[in-house]
Amino acid sequence: MLALGLFLGAAAKKQYVDGAIVDVQQKATTRVLYYQVDTPITQDDPYYEVSVRIKDTIYFGRYTPMHSHDTLPEDWTVGAAVQARVDGHHLVLKRPGGTEMSFAFTKTPVVKPVPSSSVTAPASK
């Protein structure tokens, strides 16, 4: 019975699908560390915003690294193919080494229909 439960739990995990990176931006949030007299002493904390197209939907996610020197994989550039899955309020991308990187959704996913120029007209007889 336990084996059946483990099998069903593993089968219920969402599978990765093919996606493509639409946009990557490195940004920073400024936070106040403390005040010296009336002057705020601040620190910039970097984060990344990534947009990924899966089928006809674009997902927008934000990743805040644990350390300021942590970066995204170098081959994650605009147009790069990635393996992705949606997990609750997160977009999960598979890194080149096989580990996962989770991005919290920042916007509502946008459905982008395929442009009409990429659809070929049926041949006339």
Side-chain angles (χ1 to χ4, degrees):
M1 188 67 169
L2 178 61
L4 178 63
L6 291 175
F7 174 75
L8 292 176
K13 186 174 182 180
K14 295 182 180 181
Q15 300 297 317
Y16 286 97
V17 295
D18 292 329
I21 295 177
V22 177
D23 189 30
V24 177
Q25 295 181 14
Q26 182 177 3
K27 298 183 176 184
T29 301
T30 302
R31 68 181 165 113
V32 176
L33 297 174
Y34 58 90
Y35 286 88
Q36 188 169 11
V37 185
D38 289 333
T39 305
I41 306 302
T42 61
Q43 174 179 321
D44 287 339
D45 295 328
Y47 68 92
Y48 296 90
E49 286 186 353
V50 175
S51 303
V52 176
R53 180 184 207 115
I54 301 173
K55 296 183 183 177
D56 61 346
T57 304
I58 297 178
Y59 296 90
F60 304 94
R62 177 181 172 150
Y63 170 73
T64 304
M66 299 265 299
H67 306 285
S68 62
H69 63 275
D70 290 344
T71 62
L72 297 179
E74 289 181 15
D75 52 345
W76 282 4
T77 58
V78 174
V82 292
Q83 292 286 308
R85 66 182 171 88
V86 175
D87 187 14
H89 296 286
H90 291 86
L91 173 66
V92 180
L93 301 181
K94 188 184 284 188
R95 299 176 73 148
T99 59
E100 296 180 337
M101 186 176 278
S102 182
F103 295 81
F105 287 135
T106 57
K107 299 180 188 175
T108 304
V110 176
V111 176
K112 296 278 187 178
V114 177
S116 59
S117 63
S118 65
V119 177
T120 58
S124 59
K125 293 183 179 181

